[in-house]
Amino acid sequence: MRILIAEDDGVLADGLLRALRGTGAAVDHVATGSEADAALMTNKEFDLLILDLGLPKMHGLEVLRKLRARGSTVPVLILTAADSIEERVKGLDFGADDYMAKPFSLQELEARVRALLRRRMGGACDNIRHGPLVYDQSGRVATIDGQMVDLSARELGLLEVLLQRAGRMVSKDQLVEHLCEWGDEVSNNAIEVYVHRLRKKIEKGPIRIATVRGLGYCLKLLPGEPATTTAPTATRPSTAT
Ligand code: CA
């Protein structure tokens, strides 16, 4: 997951960076509205924007307005001063998905970030199923036929991106953008190495990471298996009588 933080308070930004990197996300930080706007224009692969409204050079609301005007659906969590109800309402009206009033607990922020990313992954529940593979988004644990799969942080990140787009092609450039922060030197060749490692761990039964030659990868199931769903593993509708 790739997250952009737009926050001009250095101490708060550092705390956010540390907390979110701790969850395994790739996180970038900008301190002005104009930088946020430029970053969002250049990189379309952010999975979440955490946006302070009181930003120098361009107000957070203007960043948000421009982002939505470009048709972007990236989830936005706005940070506002505690006393500005009007700004919060405006923010939500402008297309923000959630807000937090300062000061807030990092724990609560992490929970809200998880909820937004979960929705982004296509479901309100924690588990994403792909054939025999079940991925628990909160715990960041993958199992195949109930057996836990031991994955590194990078491999988990890769699996998340592929699962989010299961059945569709993901280019190497997209993978780099989702997995790497600015300054991370990760080449397309390195992506090939990560994919190779992930394949060795998850290609069991019908699960395959297919190579779309020269373009990218696609997570799929060999025929005869149910498609990816986000239905909880335990519940199953009773058969009609
Ligand atoms: Ca501010």
Side-chain angles (χ1 to χ4, degrees):
M1 290 295 157
R2 179 101 185 259
I3 301 175
L4 179 65
I5 299 172
E7 169 60 67
D8 61 326
D9 178 333
V11 177
L12 178 55
D14 277 350
L16 288 172
L17 275 167
R18 259 201 305 274
L20 294 171
R21 281 184 179 144
T23 68
V27 193
D28 295 300
H29 169 235
V30 290
T32 69
S34 49
E35 282 174 289
D37 186 49
L40 292 161
M41 250 192 289
T42 334
N43 188 330
K44 310 272 189 280
E45 303 296 336
F46 283 110
D47 298 291
L48 176 71
L49 167 65
I50 296 181
L51 179 66
D52 177 33
L53 291 187
L55 285 172
K57 299 208 177 142
M58 187 187 291
H59 194 273
L61 283 175
E62 181 59 10
V63 175
L64 179 60
R65 191 193 62 75
K66 291 179 74 176
L67 177 72
R68 294 299 186 230
R70 288 192 294 272
S72 168
T73 58
V74 61
V76 178
L77 171 64
I78 52 175
L79 305 177
T80 68
D83 52 353
S84 59
I85 292 169
E86 205 180 311
E87 275 198 336
R88 271 181 245 166
V89 173
K90 255 194 194 155
L92 293 169
D93 283 346
F94 273 36
D97 297 272
D98 199 0
Y99 73 86
M100 292 202 70
K102 296 177 187 178
F104 50 80
S105 85
L106 281 177
Q107 222 184 342
E108 186 183 351
L109 178 117
E110 281 175 35
R112 285 175 189 253
V113 164
R114 277 199 300 275
L116 288 170
L117 291 176
R118 220 165 30 226
R119 248 182 272 160
R120 177 82 165 163
M121 295 272 284
C125 69
D126 270 343
N127 289 343
I128 298 186
R129 179 178 269 282
H130 186 74
L133 183 144
V134 177
Y135 180 63
D136 170 351
Q137 300 185 70
S138 298
R140 301 194 86 224
V141 175
T143 56
I144 295 176
D145 291 324
Q147 298 281 317
M148 191 147 103
V149 189
D150 185 21
L151 298 172
S152 71
R154 275 272 198 251
E155 290 158 0
L156 270 174
L158 182 60
L159 178 62
E160 282 175 345
V161 181
L162 290 170
L163 268 175
Q164 199 176 21
R165 295 163 181 73
R168 282 179 287 156
M169 201 274 291
V170 188
S171 72
K172 285 183 195 170
D173 288 341
Q174 275 177 312
L175 287 173
V176 170
E177 294 209 343
H178 277 284
L179 298 176
C180 308
E181 302 170 1
W182 298 324
D184 265 1
E185 293 297 326
V186 175
S187 62
N188 281 4
N189 289 346
I191 291 291
E192 283 174 23
V193 174
Y194 296 134
V195 170
H196 176 72
R197 287 189 198 147
L198 183 62
R199 267 193 180 129
K200 286 212 281 195
K201 295 181 181 178
I202 68 159
E203 285 199 336
K204 294 187 177 134
I207 306 165
R208 292 291 180 277
I209 302 175
T211 304
V212 185
R213 204 154 291 284
L215 296 172
Y217 302 97
C218 172
L219 181 67
K220 59 183 206 180
L221 291 173
L222 295 180
E225 289 291 325
T228 302
T229 65
T230 52
T233 47
T235 55
R236 184 170 283 190
S238 54
T239 7
T241 48

